[in-house]
Amino acid sequence: MSAADRFAGFVTVRDGRVVDASGTPLLLRGMGLGNWLLAEGYMWRLSPGRESAREIEALVVELVGSERAERFWTDFRDRFISADDIDRIAAEGMDHVRLPINWRVVMDPDGAILDDGMALIDRLIGWCRDAGLWVLLDLHGAPGGQTGTNIDDSNGQPELFMDERNVELTERLWVELATRYRDETAVLGYDLLNEPLPNEWQHRYAAELAALYRRLSAAIRRVDTQHLIMYEGSHWATNWSIFDEVWDPNSVLQFHKYWSPPDRPTIQQFIDVGERLGLPIYMGEGGENNTSWLATAFQLYEDHGIGWNFWPWKKIDTLTSPCSIDAPSGWAEIVAYANGAGPQPPSEDAWATLCDLVAASHIDRCTYRPEIVRALFRRVPISLPATAFGFAGPGRSHDTSDATPLSGFRSDDAVTITLGDLDELPAFEHTDGTPDPDLTVVLAEGDWVAYDIESVDTAALDIDVWPADGSTIDGTAPLVVVDGVGLDVTASDGCWVARSPGPVRSGRHVVRVEGPAGGVAFRRLDVRDRADSTTSERLGHGALDEAVGSDVA
């Protein structure tokens, strides 16, 4: 679709689906621009010393003084997200970005709009229009704070709900944004509040949250009747108990998903509410995990028609985002000081380090981690856990036989999954550097599971099927089928290798693994371009899932 066609009109909701200007249903795929207009300590490796944006800003002033601090933030925002980032996101196949906004960047305490802050949003929208991407405006940090935690730059409690003045400022800001962008078709919509009211606060202020959503919706609709409105549940967007009616027909309900099994039971509540209200649902934040989890979770969303947005695009020294900023020399000393574990660096040294950090934050200087985006799209070359078969149900993602699923993971799919001697599924994230759980799919003769993959180029494919730990490849090989065509399978170097007889066209494909006589148990399959010298060696068990660690403290 050309940019002209994409932006010919507004994205809206029709018959419970998100649709483009022509009425064609959309499966949104996007990237979150965290840390640009609202700094978060974990993305700077400053946790636990300086967590919130205001704490990080204070740290910079301590290090180099207020005049240089102001210059630093100007330079940082000029380089951390640039047109080159937006072009790369579009080239990777995304169709939108989600822009987290800290209200203090665009509004002063008296409610006056800050032109410099708005100019940053205008500039981003222009870049995205040129690249063919929509922009979802996300109020990540509302006046007073909607969470009481560091992620929204609050003072330790959700003062948005404790002071009418904060409510008035929030309404004023959304009216300003809606007025400014009401005719801008490159704006996808308005994400009213990020992750409001976690933990104990969700019960205390649930009614106030619902009332605020209604109030903001009414205020926006007085100036903008076209754009989508998005509502997030409380408790990190996972508690949807407040959604008991449709507040606006042109709206979407948003959930976030981190560190929970990537299977249908964990999102069923959101599916149920969306169906009951006749509204589309959207996974607005998810990531910070290993590629096995990502490949499984994002397959889950797509098989249920749920649009998604990955979090986040860029961080310092990360293995879990596409862009990793290589920390400059001297950054460790700043982190030590911020955490109370070292002396304050001399001002000139700190300034040199901050300037180096700004330079290192441009995408051309970052270490790019393509395995993250490949996992989101199941893009070749890809290493998939056996349990990452599709979620389209019997006859489409797996056979219709009555197997015994693993208790606690994919329990609604009649596929036998085993987990060694453990009784429960461990967490998927590597918070302590431990490996993935040893999950195995067991197929009886004739049983099968299917995997959705993408090949960017026309290519001959090799598919390695790795047996379960403790198993051998001496028995009958599994059957491997791509788009209905059976492949030749041979045993080699500890796995079965299925080879396509010729080039496979670019695009989406279905790989099916079927149990032979006597059955088979396998833990992983790796899909490779046979001609790509950079992937000619087998990816092997867990090669894309080294103990990356969760980047969130």
Side-chain angles (χ1 to χ4, degrees), residues 448-478:
W448 56 270
V449 288
Y451 304 84
D452 183 50
I453 66 165
E454 178 185 83
S455 180
V456 173
D457 302 307
T458 297
L461 300 180
D462 286 354
I463 302 171
D464 303 335
V465 181
W466 294 86
D469 287 339
S471 300
T472 69
I473 58 173
D474 297 335
T476 306

Side-chain angles (χ1 to χ4, degrees), residues 118 121 137 173-182 190:
M118 284 296 186
I121 300 176
L137 301 179
L173 177 55
W174 270 121
V175 169
E176 174 64 28
L177 291 169
T179 302
R180 191 181 190 96
Y181 300 118
R182 61 188 168 194
Y190 309 134

Side-chain angles (χ1 to χ4, degrees), residues 465-532:
V465 181
W466 294 86
D469 287 339
S471 300
T472 69
I473 58 173
D474 297 335
T476 306
L479 286 71
V480 179
V481 178
V482 175
D483 298 335
V485 177
L487 308 188
D488 291 333
V489 182
T490 58
S492 175
D493 296 334
C495 72
W496 296 285
V497 182
R499 299 168 64 86
S500 66
V504 174
R505 61 173 174 77
S506 61
R508 307 300 299 183
H509 301 280
V510 176
V511 175
R512 194 171 85 175
V513 180
E514 183 175 329
V520 68
F522 69 105
R523 55 184 167 85
R524 200 164 201 90
L525 69 157
D526 301 334
V527 187
R528 303 175 284 118
D529 178 349
R530 190 180 306 152
D532 188 345

Side-chain angles (χ1 to χ4, degrees), residues 257-267 293 296-297 300 408-410 425-428:
K257 186 172 176 61
Y258 294 100
W259 313 308
S260 60
D263 63 3
R264 181 176 174 118
T266 59
I267 66 168
W293 189 93
T296 311
L300 169 70
F409 179 58
R410 304 207 65 159
L425 180 74
F428 270 71

Side-chain angles (χ1 to χ4, degrees), residues 281-400:
I281 66 176
Y282 167 80
M283 198 295 296
E285 259 190 45
E288 304 293 12
N289 215 310
N290 62 50
T291 54
S292 291
W293 189 93
L294 297 177
T296 311
F298 285 75
Q299 179 74 62
L300 169 70
Y301 311 141
E302 298 210 347
D303 279 346
H304 290 90
I306 299 171
W308 51 261
N309 190 282
F310 177 83
W311 180 269
W313 171 241
K314 183 183 290 185
K315 301 193 296 289
I316 294 176
D317 285 342
T318 179
L319 292 174
T320 59
S321 287
C323 290
S324 177
I325 302 169
D326 298 325
S329 174
W331 186 246
E333 286 75 16
I334 288 179
V335 170
Y337 169 69
N339 289 323
Q344 180 171 343
S347 180
E348 290 302 318
D349 291 350
W351 178 241
T353 298
L354 291 172
C355 290
D356 289 344
L357 180 68
V358 167
S361 68
H362 191 274
I363 187 173
D364 289 344
R365 293 276 302 276
C366 290
T367 297
Y368 197 70
R369 304 199 180 281
E371 66 271 18
I372 301 300
V373 174
R374 289 204 303 261
L376 304 181
F377 289 93
R378 281 80 60 203
R379 184 174 288 164
V380 177
I382 184 71
S383 186
L384 295 169
T387 52
F389 57 90
F391 291 87
R396 294 181 60 192
S397 293
H398 58 83
D399 67 279
T400 57

Side-chain angles (χ1 to χ4, degrees), residues 235-249:
H235 193 53
W236 318 123
T238 64
N239 185 329
W240 282 19
S241 59
I242 64 170
F243 300 143
D244 56 0
E245 61 180 316
V246 177
W247 297 323
D248 188 281

